[in-house]
Amino acid sequence: MSLFWRIFLLNAVVLGVATALLLWAPVTVSVPVLLTEAVILVGGLGVMLVANAALIRWGLAPLVRLTRRMATVDLLRPGQRLPESGTGEVADVIRTFNAMLERLEQERVASSARVLSAQESERRRVAQELHDEVGQSMTAVLLALKRAADTADPPLRDELRQIQEATRGSLDEVRRLLRRLRPGVLEDLGLVSALTALAGDFATHTGLTVRRDFAGDLPPLEPTTELVLYRVAQESLTNAARHADAETVTVRLRRDPDAVELTVTDDGRGIRRLCEGAGIRGMRERALLVGASLEVVPGPSGDGTTVRLTVPVPPAGPVPPGPEPFALPQPAPSAARTDAQDL
């Protein structure tokens, strides 16, 4: 029975009982009204109001839950559904809302895949241009400076040496940016080696202590999954350096019976009031691509912050072939080495 008819019938019952009492019961209303008559009328009105309030609250409770969920739903946290309680129009509204959430989550995953695919493509393009244009140009400058310094007089030679060292430092910075844009180690040596290189590079350039704890029995993962794990670790380390005011960061990668779990824990000031910025939401979007779950919680001792990414492991067997949502770039062909160590 629909909500309209439930409310209508209850009101009809209450009004019918009141009419019957006035018709057949020895109830009269005097002028002026007597105290007993006032008590009966006020009591009847109270019963009718309470009955109506109880029915309306019971009938509208699913809609209240629906309103709260609509105000708090986040497509980056999939699976938020309402129980299909109630009957009639209320149940139809809840079923429609759940179906709408399902469609929106699927569309969000598809749109995130397109955006991240474009982002990775742009990273590859920029990395390739850094390699082919900036890196080669700076290498040529280093060679020219070396030749000029070898033939210059001592005062000018010292200045050229200083310029050469400054240029070499800039070239090293370009290499670091290139590794961040395109994780070549991930393509060539796998996830553990890539995370090891990432942690070492991060410790070198930030001065923080980075501890590594990587399991050796990881299952074979698809390239997209490995890239998501790498990017989440990269963003977590960056957040720890920028915002946590930490001294030590621990990166762990271990295998559960049916999942691979990446945790990045720092000993910084922690999260008193989590405000998810673009970095954390970007990590959540990446997690959606591989059906993973992402948690940002306080550290084990209550201090610091832990970022935990849990990726489900597919059933044992070969990794299915086929195109990925975004494919990893192929390694660039190695060029002849120079004393400037070309990119």
Side-chain angles (χ1 to χ4, degrees):
M1 186 181 299
S2 67
L3 181 62
F4 167 79
W5 285 109
R6 289 200 300 270
I7 296 177
F8 175 80
L9 290 178
L10 177 63
N11 280 279
V13 169
V14 173
L15 293 176
V17 170
T19 302
L21 289 175
L22 290 175
L23 290 176
W24 292 292
V27 177
T28 58
V29 179
S30 304
V31 179
V33 181
L34 300 178
L35 179 61
T36 55
E37 296 172 348
V39 169
I40 293 174
L41 292 175
V42 172
L45 177 63
V47 169
M48 184 174 65
L49 293 177
V50 169
N52 275 275
L55 178 62
I56 293 174
R57 176 177 290 274
W58 175 71
L60 297 181
L63 296 181
V64 173
R65 292 194 298 269
L66 175 63
T67 303
R68 292 174 181 171
R69 179 56 53 85
M70 292 175 67
T72 59
V73 69
D74 187 354
L75 295 179
L76 293 179
R77 295 177 173 84
Q80 303 179 58
R81 301 290 186 270
L82 283 173
E84 296 181 2
S85 58
T87 58
E89 297 95 336
V90 175
D92 292 339
V93 170
I94 293 177
R95 280 193 295 269
T96 303
F97 175 74
N98 289 338
M100 180 190 68
L101 277 184
E102 184 73 24
R103 292 194 304 272
L104 290 177
E105 288 174 359
Q106 293 175 358
E107 292 173 1
R108 181 60 184 265
V109 170
S111 63
S112 297
R114 290 191 295 269
V115 170
L116 294 177
S117 176
Q119 185 183 83
E120 291 298 327
S121 298
E122 184 66 14
R123 285 173 182 259
R124 291 195 297 269
R125 186 188 67 80
V126 173
Q128 194 65 38
E129 289 187 359
L130 284 175
H131 177 275
D132 295 340
E133 302 294 336
V134 180
Q136 301 294 345
S137 298
M138 295 183 71
T139 300
V141 170
L142 279 175
L143 292 175
L145 288 172
K146 182 179 183 304
R147 289 193 298 268
D150 291 341
T151 59
D153 295 332
L156 180 59
R157 182 185 306 167
D158 294 338
E159 294 183 7
L160 290 175
R161 296 294 186 192
Q162 293 177 1
I163 297 174
Q164 188 178 8
E165 290 303 318
T167 305
R168 183 174 287 110
S170 299
L171 185 59
D172 291 337
E173 183 66 19
V174 171
R175 291 195 193 100
R176 188 179 70 85
L177 293 175
L178 180 59
R179 288 193 296 269
R180 288 178 61 87
L181 289 171
R182 190 187 68 184
V185 179
L186 180 63
E187 305 165 19
D188 300 334
L189 302 178
L191 179 63
V192 173
S193 298
L195 291 178
T196 301
L198 176 66
D201 184 69
F202 178 82
T204 300
H205 288 87
T206 62
L208 301 181
T209 301
V210 181
R211 298 173 180 171
R212 304 186 303 271
D213 182 11
F214 301 149
D217 59 343
L218 295 178
L221 299 173
E222 297 183 0
T224 298
T225 303
E226 290 188 345
L227 183 58
V228 168
L229 287 164
Y230 180 87
R231 291 300 188 197
V232 169
Q234 186 180 53
E235 183 64 31
S236 301
L237 289 172
T238 302
N239 287 341
R242 289 179 178 175
H243 310 299
D245 194 19
E247 297 181 356
T248 303
V249 183
T250 303
V251 182
R252 290 188 176 90
L253 188 64
R254 63 188 182 89
R255 177 179 181 176
D256 288 340
D258 56 352
V260 172
E261 184 179 271
L262 170 72
T263 58
V264 181
T265 304
D266 64 67
D267 61 352
R269 55 191 176 187
I271 48 173
R272 295 175 179 85
R273 183 179 179 184
L274 180 61
C275 181
E276 294 193 358
I280 294 179
R281 296 188 69 83
M283 289 191 289
R284 292 195 184 280
E285 289 181 350
R286 291 185 180 276
L288 284 178
L289 294 179
V290 293
S293 61
L294 182 78
E295 296 178 296
V296 183
V297 296
S301 61
D303 299 326
T305 305
T306 295
V307 178
R308 182 180 297 109
L309 178 69
T310 305
V311 181
V313 175
V319 177
E324 303 296 336
F326 44 85
L328 293 173
Q330 296 299 321
S334 58
R337 288 189 170 274
T338 65
D339 63 337
Q341 192 177 3
D342 184 18
L343 289 172

